[in-house]
Amino acid sequence: MSAHNYSQPTILLVHGAWHGAWCWDKLVPELKARGWAVATVDLPSASAEAGQPAGMYDDARVIRQKLAAIPGPVAVVAHSYGGIPATEAAADADNVSRLIYLAAFQLEEGDSLGNQSGGALPVGDTGTLPPNAEHREYFYNGVTDEDAAWAADRLVAQSIKSFSEPLTATSWKNVESRYIACELDNALPLAFQQGMAARSGKTYQLPSGHSAFLSMPSELAETIALAILD
C-alpha cells in the first residue's frame, strides 16, 4: 500500500430530502480548491420508487457503505434530513472523526423527522411525498433565480418511510459534532436549529437560507473547514 497521509479527513457530503448529490455542485469545487478530498452519496429515499420506497435505514446503510470505502478519517457534513441517517450510520463506523450538521436534524435516539416536525405524516398509495410547491421560498431563498430554477428542476419525490423511521443510535454522543446554522432559513427556523445545535460542541452561523451550498458556497466551505479544524 502507498504511504498516504490520512491525517486530514475526507469530507463526505450527505444531502437532504428531495435532493441528490447534485446539490453540492457549487460547494465541491470550493472545498477541493482548499485542499480537501470530497466524497458524496445519493440517498435512496429520494427518487423513491412508488410501491417500494426506501427508508431512513436504507439511507444509513448507503452512507455506511460509503464510509467503509473511504480510507482514513472522514468528516461527515449532513444537510437537513440527511442529519438523521448520517447520525444513524456514523454509530457503526470507526473512521468518522467529526459530524457536522448543516441546518440539519441532530436528534435523540427514538426521534424521527416526523415526530420532530409536528403534524401527522400523509399516507398514500405511492408512499412518497412530492417536493414542497413553495420550494423557492422554503429551500432557495437567497439563491439566484438561475440556480433556484436549476435546483428545482432536479427535485424528486421523497419516501414517507424515511420521515417515520426513528433513530436507533446517536453517534454525536461519541463523535465530536459541530452545527452550522442558517440564520435566514425558512425550512428550519433558526430557533429550531439552535435547539438542536445545543447538542453540538460548537455552533457557527451563516446569513443564508436553507441552501447555503447554493447561495454562499465559498463562505460555507470556509465554515466547514473551521468546523473540522476547530
Side-chain angles (χ1 to χ4, degrees):
M1 292 179 64
S2 55
H4 291 293
N5 178 2
Y6 293 126
S7 59
Q8 179 169 294
T10 297
I11 297 173
L12 175 61
L13 301 172
V14 179
H15 65 80
W18 299 287
H19 288 68
W22 54 263
C23 74
W24 306 112
D25 280 7
K26 285 181 171 289
L27 178 64
V28 169
E30 295 284 350
L31 291 169
K32 288 184 174 178
R34 290 163 173 79
W36 297 96
V38 184
T40 62
V41 65
D42 279 303
L43 302 180
S45 65
S47 78
E49 294 285 330
Q52 287 186 317
M56 187 275 284
Y57 300 136
D58 298 301
D59 291 341
R61 175 178 45 78
V62 168
I63 296 168
R64 228 176 263 122
Q65 290 168 348
K66 179 67 78 168
L67 288 169
I70 299 174
V74 183
V76 178
V77 177
H79 180 241
S80 198
Y81 158 78
I84 303 174
T87 297
E88 183 83 7
D92 300 316
D94 58 9
N95 60 333
V96 177
S97 59
R98 181 108 350 151
L99 284 166
I100 299 170
Y101 294 86
L102 170 62
F105 287 88
Q106 184 171 1
L107 302 183
E108 287 280 2
E109 191 171 328
D111 285 343
S112 66
L113 186 145
N115 74 14
Q116 292 299 293
S117 334
L121 287 172
V123 293
D125 294 336
T126 62
T128 59
L129 285 172
N132 191 314
E134 303 297 324
H135 45 70
R136 184 71 175 96
E137 175 187 352
Y138 284 97
F139 294 157
Y140 306 129
N141 61 309
V143 176
T144 65
D145 289 341
E146 181 183 3
D147 287 339
W150 173 85
D153 282 346
R154 287 160 175 77
L155 293 174
V156 294
Q158 179 73 23
S159 82
I160 294 171
K161 188 197 293 186
S162 65
F163 292 164
S164 61
E165 291 181 334
L167 279 175
T168 68
T170 42
S171 52
W172 51 264
K173 293 182 177 178
N174 304 310
V175 177
E176 277 286 317
S177 65
R178 300 289 183 263
Y179 202 101
I180 301 174
C182 295
E183 297 171 346
L184 309 176
D185 198 323
N186 292 329
L188 285 185
L190 180 59
F192 184 57
Q193 293 179 65
Q194 288 171 328
M196 294 185 288
R199 296 163 175 160
S200 274
K202 193 161 188 177
T203 302
Y204 309 83
Q205 291 194 185
L206 287 173
S208 78
H210 194 55
S211 301
F213 42 84
L214 294 177
S215 61
M216 45 178 59
S218 177
E219 295 91 334
L220 178 57
E222 291 289 342
T223 306
I224 289 170
L226 267 178
I228 293 173
L229 301 170
D230 195 0

